[in-house]
Amino acid sequence: MTREEASQILHQYTKGDSLLRHARTVELVMRAYAQKLDQDPELWGNTGLLHDADYEAFPDRHPHVVVDLLRERGEEEMAHAISGHYSHWGVPHNSLLDKALLGCDEITGFVVACAQVRPQRLSGLEAKSVLKKLKQASFAASVDRGEVRLGAELLQVDLTAHIDFIIQALQPHAEELQLTPVSTEAS
């Protein structure tokens, strides 16, 4: 599957800016990890891009709609990873792709949430600040902290190093992601 085909599927089901940005951020992080781990960046990126593609249109059937579509197209590796990107669904994490998607989804969303509340956004964001926010249950309360920890364990990475990697993967795309520093100058 090409990036263009994956993007078409995403935009077929997803219209909201926030979810589109989440899809893009997870895509970027997955592509960066694929390069680091000598994996297929297209496969990994497209998996990240599509992991929540059906969430907005079919919240009660998520992720089955996109998983079924991918299986129909012969994309079993992507379909399996997406079917298990939340550990409570009980799908085994067999491949590195499966583990990476679970390991990158929640924490990438959390890093973005941390950036959004800072005037400098992604610029200068450090893992220690993100870790501090993780301890605040009221901040980005919908983020499952257990999934964050499990994801780092599955990837066999230190959580601090994992967060640093995610920040570094996103920083070159800060403008596209609308995560550039907020101007404090009077207009």
Side-chain angles (χ1 to χ4, degrees):
M1 175 178 293
T2 66
R3 167 58 169 73
E4 185 176 322
E5 290 169 322
S7 182
Q8 287 173 355
I9 293 169
L10 175 67
H11 286 88
Q12 175 183 346
Y13 296 117
T14 306
K15 308 299 179 203
D17 290 340
S18 179
L19 198 52
L20 287 169
R21 177 168 55 179
H22 176 65
R24 177 67 173 141
T25 59
V26 176
E27 174 195 13
L28 291 166
V29 171
M30 289 290 289
R31 282 184 185 277
Y33 261 118
Q35 291 171 339
K36 178 180 181 176
L37 301 173
D38 199 28
Q39 300 295 311
D40 180 351
E42 195 79 359
L43 172 64
W44 282 45
N46 289 342
T47 302
L49 189 67
L50 291 178
H51 79 284
D52 280 341
D54 60 3
Y55 183 77
E56 186 178 277
F58 303 99
D60 296 339
R61 294 175 50 208
H62 170 67
H64 303 293
V65 173
V66 74
V67 166
D68 291 346
L69 176 74
L70 290 169
R71 286 195 167 123
E72 288 170 14
R73 295 179 68 131
E75 299 288 350
E76 179 57 34
E77 204 172 353
M78 286 175 65
H80 183 80
I82 290 170
S83 71
H85 76 270
Y86 186 55
S87 69
H88 300 283
W89 293 333
V91 176
H93 300 97
N94 302 323
S95 72
L96 192 52
L97 176 63
D98 299 345
K99 295 170 185 176
L101 183 59
L102 187 138
C104 294
D105 179 25
E106 289 285 299
I107 190 60
T108 297
F110 193 83
V111 167
V112 169
C114 289
Q116 287 178 300
V117 299
R118 301 176 70 246
Q120 293 301 309
R121 303 292 193 243
L122 277 173
S123 179
L125 180 60
E126 295 180 2
K128 67 179 180 180
S129 299
V130 176
L131 289 167
K132 187 175 178 182
K133 288 283 192 191
L134 269 173
K135 293 177 184 174
Q136 295 177 6
S138 61
F139 181 80
S142 64
V143 171
D144 186 330
R145 271 65 170 171
E147 289 290 286
V148 168
R149 287 179 193 82
L150 176 62
E153 288 172 21
L154 286 173
L155 274 175
Q156 298 180 344
V157 294
D158 172 74
L159 184 56
T160 302
H162 185 41
I163 292 168
D164 277 333
F165 183 84
I166 291 167
I167 292 167
Q168 291 169 14
L170 296 177
Q171 282 176 334
H173 306 277
E175 188 170 339
E176 171 196 349
L177 301 171
Q178 299 175 338
L179 292 173
T180 55
V182 176
S183 175
T184 55
E185 295 177 16
S187 308

